[in-house]
Amino acid sequence: MAVEESSKRIEEAKKLSKDQPSKAEGVYKDILSKPPGSNDRAVRDFESALMSLGELYRDQKRTQDLADLIAQTRDVLTSFARAKTAKLVRQLLDLFTSIPNTLETQISTTKSCIDWAVKQRQGFLRQNLEVRLVGLYMQKQAYDALTLINNLLKELKRLDDKLVLVEVQLLESRVYHALGNVPKGRAALTSARTSAASVYCPPLLQAGLDMQSGQLHAEDSDFNTAFSYFIEAMEGYHSQDNPARATSALQYMLLCKIMLNSKDDVDQLMTSKNALKYAGKNLDAMKAVARAHSNRSLEEYEASLHNFRFELGSDRFIASHLRRLYDSMLEQNLIKVIEPFSRVEISHVAEMVGLDTAQVERKLSQMILDRVIIGVLDQGSGVLEIFEEVGKDEGFGAAVEAIGMLGGVVDGLYANQAGLLE
């Protein structure tokens, strides 16, 4: 009877959670205050009350209360089966993801759960929590996570746990990519794909592999191959109803077409079924960048970056490629402006492209060093002098060759005379 009463109370509390959350919280806490024992129905009610209270804290964005709930109920969970304990702990930690600005709390709570798992000798749960912690470190841009990754890889290779190994190798690739070490990122991704070939890979993990492959190909400016990987990733996330990641994949697809200067493909993508489904500020930002790039307008481009600074600046991959795109557009505009001149004032060039004189001067000096233009900057008079590119004089090569041959003749004569002297 007591078990049936608990079930009814949980159902009533769920109905009250929106209108009277404090009353629902009291009911859940009352049920959780009593150990469930070994009765299956009581255990299910305990689980239901625990998750419902966690969801209540999540909806009210009570981060610390949720962290305290996880810490307080862990000891009771030790009486459950290990698989069920691991599942409940992971589900409770997942509740943090929909609460903004909880990264530090998530890291501290996950670390606490790892320490608890070590004490309880729950190796499988500890590994899963460490993988989660690596992902959190990635979000925080704390790349000391590599130490944790290396330890996990050694352990997982010894245990031959392929699925978790794929996940950790994918995280390793992302960390190296974020650090700018593309060769090591590519090597880690190759290892992940090799491990994934011998085990069933869940759709979300496969989409993650495709997304990372696309990003690494984009780093090599192979945007056509990158685009094909992003399509696969977007379809994977779309099938698993993950709109945030699907939108990111769609943004990356648009970025590839912008980098390839394919305006028609960008327009076609923007009117596609998926673009209409995931329409929002993220796609509007990419559309504005595409329009500015198509018009070759630096002013429009800078306005797009300013108006959509969060949407374009929060993603490191997009921000990195947009910086490259800006540099490329600036170079093209400067070359077009200075082409008719042999000597031109830097202030006039800056006025023509609509940028600050100091910024234009820095870019021109960089272009001279990179041999994009042949010339010198006269900073005293604020003038750029451009020289005609002189072709290679073949006479120099012939002279060097003749001198070399003469040197050979002299060496031969010296050897002959030395033989006669002996």
Side-chain angles (χ1 to χ4, degrees), residues 150-184:
N150 291 332
N151 294 335
L152 269 172
L153 286 174
K154 288 176 188 173
E155 189 176 345
L156 292 168
K157 284 174 183 174
R158 190 174 67 250
L159 295 171
D160 200 32
D161 190 339
K162 294 286 188 186
L163 192 58
V164 182
L165 183 62
V166 172
E167 198 173 343
V168 174
Q169 285 169 333
L170 176 58
L171 285 169
E172 182 186 24
S173 177
R174 286 173 179 166
V175 170
Y176 278 125
H177 180 209
L179 288 170
N181 194 334
V182 176
K184 280 198 172 183

Side-chain angles (χ1 to χ4, degrees), residues 256-416:
C256 288
K257 290 303 180 184
I258 292 169
M259 298 299 285
L260 290 167
N261 198 22
S262 303
K263 182 181 182 299
D264 293 340
D265 289 340
V266 171
D267 294 338
Q268 190 177 347
L269 267 175
M270 289 302 299
T271 55
S272 66
K273 178 178 66 177
N274 287 323
L276 294 173
K277 179 174 181 180
Y278 299 114
K281 290 198 78 176
N282 287 325
L283 295 189
D284 290 342
M286 298 307 296
K287 189 176 181 180
V289 168
R291 190 188 306 113
H293 181 252
S294 176
N295 296 336
R296 302 290 179 196
S297 170
L298 286 171
E299 191 177 346
E300 272 187 56
Y301 192 88
E302 288 190 329
S304 302
L305 294 180
H306 177 73
N307 295 335
F308 298 99
R309 53 187 174 276
F310 176 76
E311 288 78 14
L312 298 174
S314 58
D315 189 308
R316 287 192 300 272
F317 177 72
I318 290 176
S320 167
H321 283 280
L322 289 183
R323 280 196 296 272
R324 292 186 197 176
L325 187 63
Y326 180 81
D327 285 343
S328 172
M329 285 176 63
L330 181 54
E331 272 189 17
Q332 290 169 13
N333 279 11
L334 287 172
I335 290 170
K336 187 177 178 181
V337 168
I338 66 178
E339 193 174 9
F341 302 99
S342 59
R343 182 182 169 87
V344 59
E345 289 185 353
I346 298 170
S347 58
H348 176 67
V349 176
E351 187 181 341
M352 292 286 285
V353 295
L355 292 175
D356 180 61
T357 305
Q359 186 181 351
V360 170
E361 189 175 326
R362 278 197 304 273
K363 186 61 184 175
L364 286 171
S365 63
Q366 183 188 334
M367 290 168 70
I368 290 169
L369 290 170
D370 293 340
R371 308 289 291 178
V372 176
I373 54 176
I374 310 299
V376 293
L377 282 170
D378 184 348
Q379 290 179 311
S381 54
V383 167
L384 169 68
E385 292 188 28
I386 303 154
F387 308 131
E388 287 187 17
E389 191 170 354
V390 180
K392 187 178 179 182
D393 191 340
E394 293 179 4
F396 288 113
V400 170
E401 189 178 348
I403 291 168
M405 292 174 70
L406 283 170
V409 170
V410 171
D411 289 342
L413 289 170
Y414 177 78
N416 289 336

Side-chain angles (χ1 to χ4, degrees), residues 115-133:
D115 294 339
W116 175 78
V118 169
K119 288 176 186 174
Q120 296 297 321
R121 296 182 181 177
Q122 295 209 28
F124 179 73
L125 175 59
R126 175 186 56 77
Q127 288 170 7
N128 274 275
L129 292 174
E130 285 180 345
V131 172
R132 180 189 293 271
L133 184 59

Side-chain angles (χ1 to χ4, degrees), residues 1-17:
M1 289 295 290
V3 173
E4 289 180 10
E5 186 183 340
S6 294
S7 301
K8 288 178 182 176
R9 291 178 68 198
I10 290 170
E11 291 301 321
E12 288 173 5
K14 285 180 179 177
K15 292 174 185 176
L16 293 170
S17 58

Side-chain angles (χ1 to χ4, degrees), residues 97-148:
T97 55
S98 55
I99 308 174
N101 305 319
T102 58
L103 193 55
E104 291 296 339
T105 307
Q106 286 187 66
I107 289 172
S108 61
T109 306
T110 305
K111 281 182 175 178
S112 172
C113 288
I114 289 170
D115 294 339
W116 175 78
V118 169
K119 288 176 186 174
Q120 296 297 321
R121 296 182 181 177
Q122 295 209 28
F124 179 73
L125 175 59
R126 175 186 56 77
Q127 288 170 7
N128 274 275
L129 292 174
E130 285 180 345
V131 172
R132 180 189 293 271
L133 184 59
V134 171
L136 293 171
Y137 279 147
M138 272 288 294
Q139 291 178 46
K140 191 186 175 186
Q141 301 181 22
Y143 302 121
D144 51 342
L146 277 173
T147 309
L148 189 57

